[in-house]
Amino acid sequence: QDNRVGFIFRMDKDGNKREVVAGGFRNQVDMDFDANGEMFTFDADMEWDIGAPWYRPIRVNHIVSGGEYGWRWGSGKWPSTYPDSLPTSLDMGMGSPTGVVFGTRSKFPNRFKEALFLADWQNGKILTAHKKPNGASYSFEFESFLDGAPLNVCDMEFGPDGNLYFITGGRGSQSALYRVSWTGQADKIADQPKLNPSQTRRRQLESYHQNPNPAAVTAVWNDLGNPDLWIRHAARIALERQPVPQWENQIFAEDNIDIALTGLIAIVRMKTTTEADRSTFQKRVIAKLASIADQNQFHANTGQRLMTMIRICGILFSRHGHPESKISNQIAKLFSVFFPNQKEALNCELLELLVFVNHSQCYPAAFDLLESQSQSQESQIHIARSLAHIKQPWPAGRNKIFINWLEGAKRFRGGHLLQKTMQTMQKSFLKSLTPQQKKSLVSELAILERPIEKQSIFQSRELVARWNIADLKN
């Protein structure tokens, strides 16, 4: 895995005191603040990953204190369904984000004064994204402001005259400076939108992010269970900034399901354990999860809560060691009743966890999903990657299913890295087979060696006439 991850730093004028404000970006080359001081950026995709479950399009992100936006190289990206990852504010397909600026200082019509201007180098466009409040954050709708062929916009800014200036060029192309002016009648100056109560509450919680504060735990506690993800996030980061002994036992005693689940994310992230007490801590966390799943109210919002529980286990074992067999059995008992699941995202995460704890009873259903191809291409890849971690020998029938799937996956469509991903998976699978298995699967393995038949998208049609230029003139 490549460790390149984008961050946003805050520093003093000399650059000596530096603080990470937010992280988990692909390649955010610019950002700006709206009239209320809210920060936004335009982050890049990795086009080579198209077709894989970890692909994410170019996106507008609302940047908040302590925000984690989930970018990691390759398959390490956090899904947007993770409860400790903040979601996109606007997905926009493929492109190459560069400059970002709000129209606040422009002399454009009012609707552009509140818009976020976005430069797309690849597609030769400047877009405007119009925001509207969405709980404690925002959502956007976008439109094309101007475009050209080519118009590889590198950066832009509003000048003192209220006009938009942008520059093109890069990678050996011709550079030029442009100005965009408004020649119509000026609008009456409108009042800037103020923060709504949810956005104000998020900011209040963020005020506890800087330093430990004896009043913080009580002040943020109820918002750990807030239905608004952005408020919940701000409350959790505030809690994590306080000494763990002040709130650890309170989490395990909490009866409210959503407060307890958010608190468990915080405790497995912030708790430090030694070799001697890791098992005890893991048992305590799993026991709390089991008690939550037993509550009748748990089923009122099973999807979100179940994803949070899976994520808690993922953090728990990555930071506090591989579970002993007794804990693994408890995990299997707790989560196997939800697999397979009607929601693809849960299917993928559940299977990954169940394979991790070697719950072999789930394997038949997982191979059935792969054989039926009832899941999307992206989910099939996720499921196959999880199954590939099961140690051989497998029953012959399962090897045949996997071989047939690998052969079919050659036709998956996507970016530059997709087929390399499939080839790597195939090589790992073949390497895992014993000589005896390979001998018994000769005919099946031969399928993998066959080249893909190229099928024309055109059907043969009867020739009606051979037209020429003279016919067209008539």
Side-chain angles (χ1 to χ4, degrees), residues 377-404:
Q377 171 180 313
E378 291 79 6
S379 291
Q380 287 183 50
I381 294 171
H382 196 143
I383 290 169
R385 290 181 73 251
S386 295
L387 293 177
H389 284 86
I390 302 172
K391 292 182 179 180
Q392 292 280 4
W394 299 353
R398 292 178 190 170
N399 280 314
K400 291 177 181 179
I401 291 172
F402 204 82
I403 291 170
N404 288 333

Side-chain angles (χ1 to χ4, degrees), residues 17 25 50 77 93 168-169 177-178 181 183 205 219 221 379 445 456:
K17 183 180 179 182
F25 303 101
I50 292 173
K77 296 178 193 63
T168 63
L177 176 66
Y178 296 84
S181 304
T183 58
L205 295 168
W221 193 261
S379 291
L445 293 174
S456 173

Side-chain angles (χ1 to χ4, degrees), residues 333-386:
K333 181 180 179 182
L334 179 59
F335 290 98
S336 61
V337 295
F338 300 104
F339 181 83
N341 201 281
Q342 292 183 345
K343 296 183 178 179
E344 287 196 357
L346 283 173
N347 248 349
C348 294
E349 297 298 324
L350 281 166
L351 179 60
E352 191 170 312
L353 179 59
L354 293 171
V355 169
F356 175 75
V357 297
N358 300 315
H359 182 59
S360 58
Q361 287 91 326
C362 77
Y363 299 165
F367 278 95
D368 286 346
L369 284 174
L370 200 63
E371 185 176 31
S372 69
Q373 299 182 7
S374 59
Q375 310 289 292
S376 66
Q377 171 180 313
E378 291 79 6
S379 291
Q380 287 183 50
I381 294 171
H382 196 143
I383 290 169
R385 290 181 73 251
S386 295

Side-chain angles (χ1 to χ4, degrees), residues 185-242:
Q185 185 175 355
D187 285 346
K188 180 181 179 181
I189 297 176
D191 293 334
Q192 285 290 341
K194 302 300 182 183
L195 297 174
N196 66 27
S198 294
Q199 293 161 346
T200 300
R201 180 56 182 161
R202 170 177 53 78
R203 283 198 173 188
Q204 291 171 344
L205 295 168
E206 290 170 353
S207 69
Y208 293 105
H209 288 186
Q210 292 298 313
N211 301 295
N213 185 325
V217 174
T218 300
V220 309
W221 193 261
N222 287 337
D223 282 313
L224 294 171
N226 197 296
D228 189 305
L229 168 64
W230 296 80
I231 293 179
R232 214 161 55 238
H233 171 271
R236 177 177 58 79
I237 298 299
L239 186 69
E240 292 178 357
R241 294 295 181 268
Q242 315 312 313

Side-chain angles (χ1 to χ4, degrees), residues 282-297:
Q282 289 180 350
K283 289 176 182 176
R284 193 181 189 193
V285 172
I286 301 307
K288 183 62 177 177
L289 291 178
S291 70
I292 288 172
D294 281 342
Q295 295 185 43
N296 291 331
Q297 300 96 315

Side-chain angles (χ1 to χ4, degrees), residues 397-426:
R398 292 178 190 170
N399 280 314
K400 291 177 181 179
I401 291 172
F402 204 82
I403 291 170
N404 288 333
W405 181 83
L406 285 171
E407 199 277 331
K410 292 178 181 179
R411 297 166 181 79
F412 285 171
R413 304 189 66 177
H416 173 66
L417 289 179
L418 181 63
Q419 285 306 316
K420 288 189 175 182
T421 298
M422 296 297 99
Q423 291 166 8
T424 299
M425 195 183 303
Q426 179 172 314

Side-chain angles (χ1 to χ4, degrees), residues 77 127 182 212 233 235 332 436:
K77 296 178 193 63
L127 307 160
W182 171 250
H233 171 271
Q436 185 61 39

